[in-house]
Amino acid sequence: MTAARDIIRQRMPDVAPRVAITLGSGLGDLGDQVEGATLIDYADLPGFPQTTVSGHSGALILGELGGVAICLLRGRAHYYEQGDAGAMASAIETMAALGVETMLMTNAAGSLQVETGPGNPMLITDHVNFAGANPLIGVEGDRRFVNLSDAYDPALNAILRETAAERGIPLAEGTYMWFSGPSFETPAEIRAAATLGASAVGMSTVPEVILARYHRLRVCAVSLITNLAAGLSDEVLSHDHTKTMAAIGAEAMERLITGFLEHYGVEVPRPEEAGDDG
Ligand code: HPA
């Protein structure tokens, strides 16, 4: 039971989102495509982060997309904002309490694969936590020892690959390495990341994936590549550059997400008896 869940249920007694989607930089416009949308400001939801995205305040957008009941999380808190790896803990706990089955995470990332450049989506198949932080530090009970093998759900990954192939969207894949930010990486750090098996680097998502798996939600994740990582091109990295390039790739990401949901609604059975452990 969470206070935020109760507030959402008071406003929308029949709400039953199956999929929650976190929107990374540049993807906030997906909210415009949600049918029957109800928007609830994070400011009205206890425990949700106070954040702004492209001039919008953080908000949940509940409705239907691709024929599936969904909840968009427009706006996320990052570890680099307050040094709190659990900044999204209440938001994700609320998704679980609402009966969400699956979280689709998106983010902007720098690519270590030179053939996967700005504007390309990359399916995240695994991660390396290079920030040294964990959102479950301080959480009690044996459930905190979360198994992260197959954290990025193979069956959901297959749906994303199928959707991309069918819609002609080139979809790279690889391992996402989480750096704390907010500074970008150095070229030496990117060489180290390559040695450690990273395909892309970014400043978000990993803590949310850990939290989602803690709540036994299924997870899949896609990066929108906004640049080649530090030292791999002459481009000067900046947040403005990230936002500009995210806007260019946003259309492909939106088609991928909507297509994924169309498949999801048809192919993924509802969990038998969703246990309410609130
Ligand atoms: N590094 C970290 N985070 C990012 C990058 C990057 O190169 N690009 C977009 N987000």
Side-chain angles (χ1 to χ4, degrees), residues 52-222:
T52 55
V53 212
S54 357
H56 298 296
S57 58
L60 290 186
I61 301 170
L62 293 126
E64 254 193 44
L65 193 61
V68 177
I70 54 113
C71 179
L72 297 185
L73 290 113
R74 189 187 71 193
R76 56 150 59 100
H78 301 82
Y79 175 53
Y80 61 71
E81 292 173 49
Q82 309 282 341
D84 177 10
M88 291 296 285
S90 296
I92 290 169
E93 182 185 13
T94 301
M95 294 303 104
L98 279 175
V100 162
E101 302 154 19
T102 289
M103 291 209 60
L104 167 57
M105 318 269 188
T106 69
N107 61 38
S111 175
L112 278 74
Q113 311 182 111
V114 286
E115 66 282 10
T116 305
N120 280 331
M122 186 195 92
L123 176 67
I124 301 178
T125 53
D126 205 348
H127 75 228
V128 177
N129 178 349
F130 204 62
N134 194 298
L136 298 178
I137 289 174
V139 171
E140 292 180 4
D142 284 356
R143 251 178 85 175
R144 74 183 126 176
F145 302 109
V146 174
N147 175 14
L148 292 178
S149 308
D150 283 340
Y152 300 85
D153 193 293
L156 300 179
N157 291 345
I159 296 179
L160 281 159
R161 289 187 192 105
E162 184 187 355
T163 306
E166 151 197 300
R167 319 243 155 157
I169 302 165
L171 183 63
E173 46 185 275
T175 298
Y176 176 89
M177 184 179 268
W178 179 35
F179 280 82
S180 75
S183 51
F184 284 97
E185 300 73 29
T186 63
E189 285 166 346
I190 294 304
R191 287 194 298 275
T195 303
L196 294 174
S199 320
V201 292
M203 308 177 192
S204 68
T205 307
V206 166
E208 296 150 36
V209 169
I210 295 169
L211 288 163
R213 293 305 297 147
Y214 174 75
H215 289 290
R216 304 195 175 118
L217 300 175
R218 298 175 74 180
V219 168
C220 55
V222 182

